[in-house]
Amino acid sequence: MTQCKTSKEIGGMGHSLKRKEDARFIQGKGHYVDDIRLPGMLYMDIVRSPYAYAKIKNINIEEAMKVPGVITVVTGKDLEKYNLHWMPTLMSDTQMVLPTDTVMYQAQEVCAVIATSKYAARDGREAVKIEYEPMKPVMDPFKSLDPSAPVLRTDKPGKTNNHIWHWQAGDKNKTEQVFASADVVVKQQMHIPRIHVVSIETCGCVADYDKVNHHLTMYMTTQAPHAIRTVIALVAGHVGLSEEKIRVVSPDIGGGFGGKVPVYPGYVIAIAVSFLVGKPVKWIEDRSENLQADSFARDYHITAEMAGTKAGRILATRFKVLADHGYTDAAANPSKFPAGMFSICTGSYDYATAFAEADAVYTNKPPGGVAYRCSFRVTEAVQAIERLTDLFAMKVGKDPADIRMQNFIKKEDFPWHSPTGWVYDSGNYQAGLQKAMDVVGYAALRKEQAEKRARGELMGIGISTFTEIVGAGPSKDFDILGIKMFDSAEIRVHPTGKAIARFGTKSQGQGHETTYAQIIAEELGIPAENIQVEEGDTDTAPYGLGTYASRSTPTAGAAAAIASRKLRDKARKIAAYLLEVSEEDLEWEPGKFFVKGAPEKAKTIQEIVFAAYTNHPQGMEAGFEATNYYDPPNLTFPSGAYICVVDIDKETGAIHVRRFVAIDDCGNIINPMIVQGQVHGGLTQAIAPAMYEELIYDEEGNILNGTLMDYLVPTAVESPKWETGHICTPSPHHPIGAKGVGESPTVGGPPAIANAIIDALSPFGITHIDIPITPYKVWKALKEHGAY
Ligand code: MCN
């Protein structure tokens, strides 16, 4: 009898397999865009605007052209000749590749210098002389809609103001009625700061146009290779490069976090230059360019209100949002989605009434709208709802944990129909919070807090219980450029039993090479080490929409399971043929089919695969491969309960995060170690906007903290010891019961920290401080509230 290995031995689901990709990463063998060197390759550097809003009077390239090695300088007017000066953003907006007469934000691309070395290109860049006529920029989104404000997007025919879109969800009249008759109403203005993803690798590309075959290969840092190819085809179509003539290759990526979803002008300029000069062109941003000019996230101004009873029952919420998207809406137009960005604004609670509306405006800031490790503005919504919940608890005089327990959607109420249009698939919020409270020792901490308060010490405990919404599609609700959102897996098992699996997603550090292999191993019984996972090459991978919005597990992960099951069906047929029994007489155990009641009569998956090429039933196609394009019936709704404990130094305002307990529910877990890594990284990115990061501009549009010397990215030193754990409510509609997890910590983390800090300061009557909550803001609030 053939003895099969256990799920653990083959690296199946639920096991902490070491990441396959790390073997090359930790040995410095990762292959990134900047590692690509092609014969005859030219280098591009970009001249950027020092002004936020200015007319371009003249571009003088004379001196630049004298720099040894400089080949040419490309301006917007040059691109205009070929109709290559405009491009769509990934959603529904457009932006200039290079401006022809007006710059719209500081650090905007104005022209590009092409040279035989990157140093010559940089010297050429310094030698370009541009004459500007500066104008007063629009930096305040609230003033952007004033009739006196200049209309910024004059390129858009018929545009008479700076409004981009309006979105709303929920029942406005009913919400007003509930608010009018409620015992208790709390209201808070808040700002969610403009932040940047700051991935370790900046953006860049090598555009390689092959004149002979009229074919473009684009090596680039993109999270969505297929969708980007479609965008490139829309632009490059003007010079006859249609989609089948374009190959996008996304090699290893050093972090994306949403910032490598948009299309950046540098990509299009590199393509245009490669097309015009017939040579490969490399463009790699430097760190400052990346921080100052790439698309930004958040920058939302929210008026948030909650109505309820004195007994602590939440009845309704109302949100009015103004989104500052800068010069263009880079990546996330909510009108594309059925219930848009703030639609998860009822959080994990079971009240039936809510209304949310949002407007986005243009200003003279760099492009905004990137979903930085948050889908569809969930981070912003959760920040608002979880702050409101604490304010409400404070007002009715109850413990914030009790208020949450009282108002949670109950586990038996799933699927839950939210008042803003979603159907939450599953969850057990009470169990999650209870576990977090047990782990942190909630009751003892409250006791300690009371003792410390009596001594005048500042200690705070903050809770955040959140629901995420991840996995776009379903295709009926979501599209990018009209392409319906699904994702894909293609599995090919070779006669030797070794497999190659390709996906439409693209890992930027999430560990897909390991976790996808684990799903296939579990379903097919082929050891994960024998399954090579590939993503990121549009010539070989099946079409997919990419990796963001924690969608890879909900979509491509499901596709991997379904494609594997298709192969298992085929394997059953072959096994029945080989064992000369009917299919119904066979039973499956990972890695083999055996005859019911006679386990010694068995065929292993390796034997079956070999037979698929050598000895398969008549009428059956040879080979052992399957593809699945998975269109999910619904999103998945991961959730979490986070508790943060802080100590604050009253004299200086310094905040010490003493404990942080994160209990997540992402359904069935494929790889616990990878999920833990995702949570650790995400939590570090959660303390970022909560305590450190915010891009600041002056009234003239100058960025005031445009280097990593003064834009404070938290490191391991600033991170507490994260205490992580899980509960599991499998997604009922996902083939392996998994939900996404990548964004949960960045969604749930900031409000837990903010709530803890405010809790510590509450004895002084302080009820809110906008994030990032810095020592200075704490000290100032304490001073204003009479603490000194
Ligand atoms: N996973 C698992 N079990 C689950 C859910 C997920 O083992 N139940 C594993 C997955 O198989 C995958 C990882 O956890 O290896 C993340 O899966 P998922 O939540 O599906 O998210 P994506 O793979 O789609 O990644 C996107 C998400 C987002 S939106 C951003 S932004 C982000 C992030 O993940 N950017 C990252 N994590 C990042 N991690 C790194 N290192 N770098 C980035 O740029």
Side-chain angles (χ1 to χ4, degrees), residues 255-258 373 508-510 512 515 547-553 666 668-671 674-675 678 739-743:
F257 307 112
R373 214 164 180 175
Q508 316 118 50
Q510 291 89 343
H512 292 175
T515 48
T547 289
Y548 41 86
S550 306
R551 65 185 298 277
S552 304
T553 303
C666 57
N668 291 333
I669 292 179
I670 303 159
N671 183 319
I674 285 184
V675 167
Q678 286 290 303
K739 305 171 185 178
V741 74
E743 299 157 310

PDB file of all heavy atoms in Angstrom, residues 255-258 373 508-510 512 515 547-553 666 668-671 674-675 678 739-743, ligand 1:
ATOM      1  N   GLY A 255       7.728  45.995  -1.941  1.00  0.00           N
ATOM      2  CA  GLY A 255       6.623  46.673  -1.266  1.00  0.00           C
ATOM      3  C   GLY A 255       5.796  47.494  -2.229  1.00  0.00           C
ATOM      4  O   GLY A 255       6.335  48.202  -3.097  1.00  0.00           O
ATOM      5  N   GLY A 256       4.502  47.370  -2.109  1.00  0.00           N
ATOM      6  CA  GLY A 256       3.586  48.125  -2.978  1.00  0.00           C
ATOM      7  C   GLY A 256       2.588  48.921  -2.150  1.00  0.00           C
ATOM      8  O   GLY A 256       2.481  50.128  -2.308  1.00  0.00           O
ATOM      9  N   PHE A 257       1.852  48.212  -1.312  1.00  0.00           N
ATOM     10  CA  PHE A 257       0.912  48.809  -0.366  1.00  0.00           C
ATOM     11  C   PHE A 257      -0.155  49.685  -1.016  1.00  0.00           C
ATOM     12  O   PHE A 257      -0.714  50.567  -0.372  1.00  0.00           O
ATOM     13  CB  PHE A 257       1.659  49.609   0.712  1.00  0.00           C
ATOM     14  CG  PHE A 257       2.730  48.820   1.407  1.00  0.00           C
ATOM     15  CD1 PHE A 257       4.069  49.120   1.235  1.00  0.00           C
ATOM     16  CD2 PHE A 257       2.399  47.737   2.205  1.00  0.00           C
ATOM     17  CE1 PHE A 257       5.059  48.366   1.852  1.00  0.00           C
ATOM     18  CE2 PHE A 257       3.386  46.979   2.828  1.00  0.00           C
ATOM     19  CZ  PHE A 257       4.710  47.297   2.655  1.00  0.00           C
ATOM     20  N   GLY A 258      -0.407  49.496  -2.291  1.00  0.00           N
ATOM     21  CA  GLY A 258      -1.402  50.316  -2.993  1.00  0.00           C
ATOM     22  C   GLY A 258      -0.762  51.393  -3.847  1.00  0.00           C
ATOM     23  O   GLY A 258      -1.338  51.856  -4.824  1.00  0.00           O
ATOM     24  N   ARG A 373      -3.181  50.262   1.679  1.00  0.00           N
ATOM     25  CA  ARG A 373      -3.464  49.136   2.555  1.00  0.00           C
ATOM     26  C   ARG A 373      -4.845  49.290   3.220  1.00  0.00           C
ATOM     27  O   ARG A 373      -4.996  49.114   4.412  1.00  0.00           O
ATOM     28  CB  ARG A 373      -2.368  48.983   3.608  1.00  0.00           C
ATOM     29  CG  ARG A 373      -2.149  47.519   3.950  1.00  0.00           C
ATOM     30  CD  ARG A 373      -0.879  47.245   4.666  1.00  0.00           C
ATOM     31  NE  ARG A 373      -0.797  45.810   4.932  1.00  0.00           N
ATOM     32  CZ  ARG A 373       0.242  45.207   5.464  1.00  0.00           C
ATOM     33  NH1 ARG A 373       1.307  45.880   5.767  1.00  0.00           N
ATOM     34  NH2 ARG A 373       0.224  43.905   5.684  1.00  0.00           N
ATOM     35  N   GLN A 508       3.808  41.505  -3.707  1.00  0.00           N
ATOM     36  CA  GLN A 508       4.837  42.548  -3.499  1.00  0.00           C
ATOM     37  C   GLN A 508       5.548  42.299  -2.183  1.00  0.00           C
ATOM     38  O   GLN A 508       6.161  43.187  -1.618  1.00  0.00           O
ATOM     39  CB  GLN A 508       4.187  43.932  -3.432  1.00  0.00           C
ATOM     40  CG  GLN A 508       3.140  44.204  -4.460  1.00  0.00           C
ATOM     41  CD  GLN A 508       1.777  44.462  -3.814  1.00  0.00           C
ATOM     42  OE1 GLN A 508       1.679  45.275  -2.909  1.00  0.00           O
ATOM     43  NE2 GLN A 508       0.743  43.793  -4.292  1.00  0.00           N
ATOM     44  N   GLY A 509       5.387  41.075  -1.657  1.00  0.00           N
ATOM     45  CA  GLY A 509       5.982  40.746  -0.368  1.00  0.00           C
ATOM     46  C   GLY A 509       5.040  39.893   0.472  1.00  0.00           C
ATOM     47  O   GLY A 509       5.372  39.495   1.581  1.00  0.00           O
ATOM     48  N   GLN A 510       3.844  39.619  -0.067  1.00  0.00           N
ATOM     49  CA  GLN A 510       2.832  38.904   0.717  1.00  0.00           C
ATOM     50  C   GLN A 510       3.084  37.414   0.829  1.00  0.00           C
ATOM     51  O   GLN A 510       2.432  36.745   1.627  1.00  0.00           O
ATOM     52  CB  GLN A 510       1.443  39.115   0.089  1.00  0.00           C
ATOM     53  CG  GLN A 510       0.906  40.527   0.216  1.00  0.00           C
ATOM     54  CD  GLN A 510       1.315  41.415  -0.939  1.00  0.00           C
ATOM     55  OE1 GLN A 510       2.236  41.103  -1.688  1.00  0.00           O
ATOM     56  NE2 GLN A 510       0.644  42.527  -1.098  1.00  0.00           N
ATOM     57  N   HIS A 512       2.938  35.021  -1.846  1.00  0.00           N
ATOM     58  CA  HIS A 512       2.063  34.192  -2.681  1.00  0.00           C
ATOM     59  C   HIS A 512       2.733  32.920  -3.173  1.00  0.00           C
ATOM     60  O   HIS A 512       2.069  31.905  -3.392  1.00  0.00           O
ATOM     61  CB  HIS A 512       1.583  34.983  -3.908  1.00  0.00           C
ATOM     62  CG  HIS A 512       0.653  36.102  -3.556  1.00  0.00           C
ATOM     63  ND1 HIS A 512       0.183  36.997  -4.478  1.00  0.00           N
ATOM     64  CD2 HIS A 512       0.087  36.475  -2.379  1.00  0.00           C
ATOM     65  CE1 HIS A 512      -0.622  37.864  -3.895  1.00  0.00           C
ATOM     66  NE2 HIS A 512      -0.682  37.579  -2.612  1.00  0.00           N
ATOM     67  N   THR A 515       1.963  30.544  -0.314  1.00  0.00           N
ATOM     68  CA  THR A 515       0.581  30.245   0.101  1.00  0.00           C
ATOM     69  C   THR A 515      -0.252  29.647  -1.034  1.00  0.00           C
ATOM     70  O   THR A 515      -1.062  28.755  -0.803  1.00  0.00           O
ATOM     71  CB  THR A 515      -0.115  31.482   0.685  1.00  0.00           C
ATOM     72  OG1 THR A 515       0.086  32.587  -0.185  1.00  0.00           O
ATOM     73  CG2 THR A 515       0.431  31.809   2.055  1.00  0.00           C
ATOM     74  N   THR A 547      -2.990  42.526  -7.310  1.00  0.00           N
ATOM     75  CA  THR A 547      -2.991  42.364  -5.850  1.00  0.00           C
ATOM     76  C   THR A 547      -3.101  43.704  -5.144  1.00  0.00           C
ATOM     77  O   THR A 547      -2.200  44.535  -5.219  1.00  0.00           O
ATOM     78  CB  THR A 547      -1.701  41.630  -5.418  1.00  0.00           C
ATOM     79  OG1 THR A 547      -1.805  40.271  -5.841  1.00  0.00           O
ATOM     80  CG2 THR A 547      -1.533  41.636  -3.903  1.00  0.00           C
ATOM     81  N   TYR A 548      -4.198  43.908  -4.523  1.00  0.00           N
ATOM     82  CA  TYR A 548      -4.497  45.062  -3.661  1.00  0.00           C
ATOM     83  C   TYR A 548      -5.826  44.707  -3.006  1.00  0.00           C
ATOM     84  O   TYR A 548      -6.425  43.679  -3.330  1.00  0.00           O
ATOM     85  CB  TYR A 548      -4.610  46.379  -4.475  1.00  0.00           C
ATOM     86  CG  TYR A 548      -5.340  46.185  -5.769  1.00  0.00           C
ATOM     87  CD1 TYR A 548      -6.737  46.262  -5.815  1.00  0.00           C
ATOM     88  CD2 TYR A 548      -4.663  45.856  -6.938  1.00  0.00           C
ATOM     89  CE1 TYR A 548      -7.416  46.022  -6.987  1.00  0.00           C
ATOM     90  CE2 TYR A 548      -5.338  45.604  -8.119  1.00  0.00           C
ATOM     91  CZ  TYR A 548      -6.718  45.692  -8.131  1.00  0.00           C
ATOM     92  OH  TYR A 548      -7.397  45.440  -9.289  1.00  0.00           O
ATOM     93  N   ALA A 549      -6.302  45.568  -2.099  1.00  0.00           N
ATOM     94  CA  ALA A 549      -7.606  45.354  -1.456  1.00  0.00           C
ATOM     95  C   ALA A 549      -7.713  43.949  -0.846  1.00  0.00           C
ATOM     96  O   ALA A 549      -8.817  43.399  -0.797  1.00  0.00           O
ATOM     97  CB  ALA A 549      -8.747  45.590  -2.457  1.00  0.00           C
ATOM     98  N   SER A 550      -6.616  43.401  -0.387  1.00  0.00           N
ATOM     99  CA  SER A 550      -6.580  42.041   0.200  1.00  0.00           C
ATOM    100  C   SER A 550      -7.418  41.075  -0.622  1.00  0.00           C
ATOM    101  O   SER A 550      -8.171  40.262  -0.071  1.00  0.00           O
ATOM    102  CB  SER A 550      -7.093  42.052   1.651  1.00  0.00           C
ATOM    103  OG  SER A 550      -6.403  42.981   2.419  1.00  0.00           O
ATOM    104  N   ARG A 551      -7.279  41.168  -1.929  1.00  0.00           N
ATOM    105  CA  ARG A 551      -8.167  40.408  -2.806  1.00  0.00           C
ATOM    106  C   ARG A 551      -7.569  39.093  -3.288  1.00  0.00           C
ATOM    107  O   ARG A 551      -8.260  38.276  -3.892  1.00  0.00           O
ATOM    108  CB  ARG A 551      -8.618  41.255  -3.998  1.00  0.00           C
ATOM    109  CG  ARG A 551      -7.506  41.679  -4.969  1.00  0.00           C
ATOM    110  CD  ARG A 551      -8.026  42.614  -6.057  1.00  0.00           C
ATOM    111  NE  ARG A 551      -9.042  42.002  -6.887  1.00  0.00           N
ATOM    112  CZ  ARG A 551      -8.791  41.210  -7.928  1.00  0.00           C
ATOM    113  NH1 ARG A 551      -7.551  40.897  -8.245  1.00  0.00           N
ATOM    114  NH2 ARG A 551      -9.781  40.706  -8.630  1.00  0.00           N
ATOM    115  N   SER A 552      -6.256  38.872  -3.055  1.00  0.00           N
ATOM    116  CA  SER A 552      -5.628  37.705  -3.680  1.00  0.00           C
ATOM    117  C   SER A 552      -6.170  36.396  -3.116  1.00  0.00           C
ATOM    118  O   SER A 552      -6.476  35.473  -3.875  1.00  0.00           O
ATOM    119  CB  SER A 552      -4.111  37.775  -3.509  1.00  0.00           C
ATOM    120  OG  SER A 552      -3.642  38.990  -4.034  1.00  0.00           O
ATOM    121  N   THR A 553      -6.289  36.320  -1.799  1.00  0.00           N
ATOM    122  CA  THR A 553      -6.831  35.092  -1.211  1.00  0.00           C
ATOM    123  C   THR A 553      -8.305  34.913  -1.596  1.00  0.00           C
ATOM    124  O   THR A 553      -8.703  33.838  -2.053  1.00  0.00           O
ATOM    125  CB  THR A 553      -6.657  35.106   0.321  1.00  0.00           C
ATOM    126  OG1 THR A 553      -5.265  35.277   0.593  1.00  0.00           O
ATOM    127  CG2 THR A 553      -7.145  33.818   0.956  1.00  0.00           C
ATOM    128  N   CYS A 666      -9.685  36.000   9.947  1.00  0.00           N
ATOM    129  CA  CYS A 666      -9.624  35.999   8.478  1.00  0.00           C
ATOM    130  C   CYS A 666     -10.064  34.628   7.966  1.00  0.00           C
ATOM    131  O   CYS A 666      -9.587  34.149   6.942  1.00  0.00           O
ATOM    132  CB  CYS A 666      -8.240  36.387   7.980  1.00  0.00           C
ATOM    133  SG  CYS A 666      -6.903  35.363   8.568  1.00  0.00           S
ATOM    134  N   ASN A 668     -10.465  30.648   7.550  1.00  0.00           N
ATOM    135  CA  ASN A 668      -9.425  29.619   7.582  1.00  0.00           C
ATOM    136  C   ASN A 668      -8.097  30.211   7.131  1.00  0.00           C
ATOM    137  O   ASN A 668      -8.037  30.958   6.156  1.00  0.00           O
ATOM    138  CB  ASN A 668      -9.814  28.444   6.671  1.00  0.00           C
ATOM    139  CG  ASN A 668     -10.984  27.677   7.244  1.00  0.00           C
ATOM    140  OD1 ASN A 668     -11.197  27.657   8.457  1.00  0.00           O
ATOM    141  ND2 ASN A 668     -11.778  27.052   6.379  1.00  0.00           N
ATOM    142  N   ILE A 669      -7.046  29.850   7.831  1.00  0.00           N
ATOM    143  CA  ILE A 669      -5.727  30.431   7.543  1.00  0.00           C
ATOM    144  C   ILE A 669      -4.908  29.461   6.707  1.00  0.00           C
ATOM    145  O   ILE A 669      -4.836  28.269   7.016  1.00  0.00           O
ATOM    146  CB  ILE A 669      -5.006  30.761   8.867  1.00  0.00           C
ATOM    147  CG1 ILE A 669      -5.750  31.920   9.569  1.00  0.00           C
ATOM    148  CG2 ILE A 669      -3.555  31.123   8.636  1.00  0.00           C
ATOM    149  CD1 ILE A 669      -5.158  32.315  10.900  1.00  0.00           C
ATOM    150  N   ILE A 670      -4.312  29.987   5.654  1.00  0.00           N
ATOM    151  CA  ILE A 670      -3.493  29.131   4.784  1.00  0.00           C
ATOM    152  C   ILE A 670      -2.127  28.905   5.439  1.00  0.00           C
ATOM    153  O   ILE A 670      -1.652  27.787   5.542  1.00  0.00           O
ATOM    154  CB  ILE A 670      -3.316  29.783   3.392  1.00  0.00           C
ATOM    155  CG1 ILE A 670      -4.690  30.066   2.770  1.00  0.00           C
ATOM    156  CG2 ILE A 670      -2.480  28.886   2.468  1.00  0.00           C
ATOM    157  CD1 ILE A 670      -4.669  31.117   1.693  1.00  0.00           C
ATOM    158  N   ASN A 671      -1.506  30.015   5.880  1.00  0.00           N
ATOM    159  CA  ASN A 671      -0.181  29.913   6.493  1.00  0.00           C
ATOM    160  C   ASN A 671      -0.120  30.842   7.710  1.00  0.00           C
ATOM    161  O   ASN A 671      -0.008  32.068   7.562  1.00  0.00           O
ATOM    162  CB  ASN A 671       0.895  30.291   5.466  1.00  0.00           C
ATOM    163  CG  ASN A 671       2.302  30.133   6.016  1.00  0.00           C
ATOM    164  OD1 ASN A 671       2.584  30.469   7.157  1.00  0.00           O
ATOM    165  ND2 ASN A 671       3.208  29.620   5.198  1.00  0.00           N
ATOM    166  N   ILE A 674       2.766  33.419   7.842  1.00  0.00           N
ATOM    167  CA  ILE A 674       2.653  34.525   6.890  1.00  0.00           C
ATOM    168  C   ILE A 674       1.589  35.504   7.369  1.00  0.00           C
ATOM    169  O   ILE A 674       1.766  36.727   7.317  1.00  0.00           O
ATOM    170  CB  ILE A 674       2.363  33.986   5.472  1.00  0.00           C
ATOM    171  CG1 ILE A 674       3.654  33.380   4.917  1.00  0.00           C
ATOM    172  CG2 ILE A 674       1.806  35.084   4.561  1.00  0.00           C
ATOM    173  CD1 ILE A 674       3.593  32.886   3.502  1.00  0.00           C
ATOM    174  N   VAL A 675       0.486  34.974   7.874  1.00  0.00           N
ATOM    175  CA  VAL A 675      -0.564  35.866   8.375  1.00  0.00           C
ATOM    176  C   VAL A 675      -0.029  36.691   9.550  1.00  0.00           C
ATOM    177  O   VAL A 675      -0.265  37.893   9.644  1.00  0.00           O
ATOM    178  CB  VAL A 675      -1.829  35.056   8.759  1.00  0.00           C
ATOM    179  CG1 VAL A 675      -2.794  35.895   9.574  1.00  0.00           C
ATOM    180  CG2 VAL A 675      -2.508  34.537   7.497  1.00  0.00           C
ATOM    181  N   GLN A 678       1.978  39.403   8.137  1.00  0.00           N
ATOM    182  CA  GLN A 678       1.117  40.443   7.578  1.00  0.00           C
ATOM    183  C   GLN A 678       0.588  41.352   8.685  1.00  0.00           C
ATOM    184  O   GLN A 678       0.534  42.572   8.538  1.00  0.00           O
ATOM    185  CB  GLN A 678      -0.066  39.805   6.839  1.00  0.00           C
ATOM    186  CG  GLN A 678       0.310  39.189   5.500  1.00  0.00           C
ATOM    187  CD  GLN A 678       0.654  40.249   4.473  1.00  0.00           C
ATOM    188  OE1 GLN A 678      -0.132  41.128   4.178  1.00  0.00           O
ATOM    189  NE2 GLN A 678       1.861  40.178   3.949  1.00  0.00           N
ATOM    190  N   LYS A 739     -10.682  34.367   4.260  1.00  0.00           N
ATOM    191  CA  LYS A 739     -10.952  35.776   3.972  1.00  0.00           C
ATOM    192  C   LYS A 739      -9.593  36.467   3.862  1.00  0.00           C
ATOM    193  O   LYS A 739      -8.605  35.958   4.391  1.00  0.00           O
ATOM    194  CB  LYS A 739     -11.730  36.410   5.120  1.00  0.00           C
ATOM    195  CG  LYS A 739     -13.024  35.696   5.494  1.00  0.00           C
ATOM    196  CD  LYS A 739     -13.602  36.262   6.787  1.00  0.00           C
ATOM    197  CE  LYS A 739     -14.817  35.460   7.220  1.00  0.00           C
ATOM    198  NZ  LYS A 739     -15.380  35.946   8.486  1.00  0.00           N
ATOM    199  N   GLY A 740      -9.538  37.625   3.236  1.00  0.00           N
ATOM    200  CA  GLY A 740      -8.267  38.354   3.136  1.00  0.00           C
ATOM    201  C   GLY A 740      -7.835  38.862   4.501  1.00  0.00           C
ATOM    202  O   GLY A 740      -8.649  38.967   5.425  1.00  0.00           O
ATOM    203  N   VAL A 741      -6.539  39.190   4.625  1.00  0.00           N
ATOM    204  CA  VAL A 741      -6.055  39.675   5.930  1.00  0.00           C
ATOM    205  C   VAL A 741      -5.105  40.864   5.806  1.00  0.00           C
ATOM    206  O   VAL A 741      -4.892  41.591   6.756  1.00  0.00           O
ATOM    207  CB  VAL A 741      -5.366  38.538   6.719  1.00  0.00           C
ATOM    208  CG1 VAL A 741      -3.988  38.214   6.154  1.00  0.00           C
ATOM    209  CG2 VAL A 741      -5.283  38.853   8.194  1.00  0.00           C
ATOM    210  N   GLY A 742      -4.551  41.055   4.591  1.00  0.00           N
ATOM    211  CA  GLY A 742      -3.443  42.016   4.426  1.00  0.00           C
ATOM    212  C   GLY A 742      -3.701  43.384   5.006  1.00  0.00           C
ATOM    213  O   GLY A 742      -2.796  44.040   5.537  1.00  0.00           O
ATOM    214  N   GLU A 743      -4.939  43.862   4.914  1.00  0.00           N
ATOM    215  CA  GLU A 743      -5.193  45.242   5.322  1.00  0.00           C
ATOM    216  C   GLU A 743      -5.772  45.373   6.727  1.00  0.00           C
ATOM    217  O   GLU A 743      -5.833  46.482   7.263  1.00  0.00           O
ATOM    218  CB  GLU A 743      -6.178  45.887   4.354  1.00  0.00           C
ATOM    219  CG  GLU A 743      -5.667  45.934   2.950  1.00  0.00           C
ATOM    220  CD  GLU A 743      -6.813  46.031   1.970  1.00  0.00           C
ATOM    221  OE1 GLU A 743      -7.768  45.233   2.073  1.00  0.00           O
ATOM    222  OE2 GLU A 743      -6.772  46.916   1.120  1.00  0.00           O
TER     223      GLU A 743
HETATM  224  N1  MCN B   1      -3.288  34.572   3.927  1.00  0.00           N
HETATM  225  C1  MCN B   1      -3.410  33.370   4.599  1.00  0.00           C
HETATM  226  N2  MCN B   1      -4.640  33.019   5.117  1.00  0.00           N
HETATM  227  C2  MCN B   1      -5.705  33.858   5.007  1.00  0.00           C
HETATM  228  C3  MCN B   1      -5.571  35.088   4.356  1.00  0.00           C
HETATM  229  C4  MCN B   1      -4.337  35.405   3.806  1.00  0.00           C
HETATM  230  O1  MCN B   1      -2.440  32.641   4.724  1.00  0.00           O
HETATM  231  N3  MCN B   1      -6.883  33.511   5.497  1.00  0.00           N
HETATM  232  C5  MCN B   1      -2.011  34.926   3.297  1.00  0.00           C
HETATM  233  C6  MCN B   1      -2.169  34.971   1.768  1.00  0.00           C
HETATM  234  O2  MCN B   1      -2.064  33.757   1.169  1.00  0.00           O
HETATM  235  C7  MCN B   1      -1.084  35.950   1.376  1.00  0.00           C
HETATM  236  C8  MCN B   1      -1.086  36.942   2.529  1.00  0.00           C
HETATM  237  O3  MCN B   1      -1.646  36.253   3.653  1.00  0.00           O
HETATM  238  O4  MCN B   1       0.134  35.290   1.271  1.00  0.00           O
HETATM  239  C9  MCN B   1      -1.946  38.185   2.230  1.00  0.00           C
HETATM  240  O5  MCN B   1      -3.135  37.744   1.645  1.00  0.00           O
HETATM  241  P1  MCN B   1      -4.410  38.657   1.326  1.00  0.00           P
HETATM  242  O6  MCN B   1      -5.006  39.151   2.572  1.00  0.00           O
HETATM  243  O7  MCN B   1      -5.250  37.910   0.383  1.00  0.00           O
HETATM  244  O8  MCN B   1      -3.830  39.957   0.633  1.00  0.00           O
HETATM  245  P2  MCN B   1      -3.100  40.093  -0.791  1.00  0.00           P
HETATM  246  O9  MCN B   1      -2.196  38.978  -0.997  1.00  0.00           O
HETATM  247  O10 MCN B   1      -4.087  40.463  -1.820  1.00  0.00           O
HETATM  248  O11 MCN B   1      -2.183  41.331  -0.456  1.00  0.00           O
HETATM  249  C10 MCN B   1      -2.740  42.619  -0.451  1.00  0.00           C
HETATM  250  C11 MCN B   1      -2.634  43.289   0.889  1.00  0.00           C
HETATM  251  C12 MCN B   1      -2.666  44.718   0.622  1.00  0.00           C
HETATM  252  S1  MCN B   1      -4.109  45.333   0.011  1.00  0.00           S
HETATM  253  C13 MCN B   1      -1.557  45.504   0.744  1.00  0.00           C
HETATM  254  S2  MCN B   1      -1.633  47.146   0.368  1.00  0.00           S
HETATM  255  C14 MCN B   1      -0.362  44.934   1.223  1.00  0.00           C
HETATM  256  C15 MCN B   1      -0.510  43.700   1.955  1.00  0.00           C
HETATM  257  O12 MCN B   1      -1.443  42.895   1.556  1.00  0.00           O
HETATM  258  N4  MCN B   1       0.814  45.268   0.716  1.00  0.00           N
HETATM  259  C16 MCN B   1       1.924  44.593   1.142  1.00  0.00           C
HETATM  260  N5  MCN B   1       0.570  43.193   2.542  1.00  0.00           N
HETATM  261  C17 MCN B   1       1.814  43.541   2.109  1.00  0.00           C
HETATM  262  N6  MCN B   1       2.907  42.897   2.558  1.00  0.00           N
HETATM  263  C18 MCN B   1       4.113  43.220   2.049  1.00  0.00           C
HETATM  264  N7  MCN B   1       5.215  42.574   2.516  1.00  0.00           N
HETATM  265  N8  MCN B   1       4.267  44.160   1.078  1.00  0.00           N
HETATM  266  C19 MCN B   1       3.221  44.853   0.611  1.00  0.00           C
HETATM  267  O13 MCN B   1       3.377  45.756  -0.342  1.00  0.00           O
END
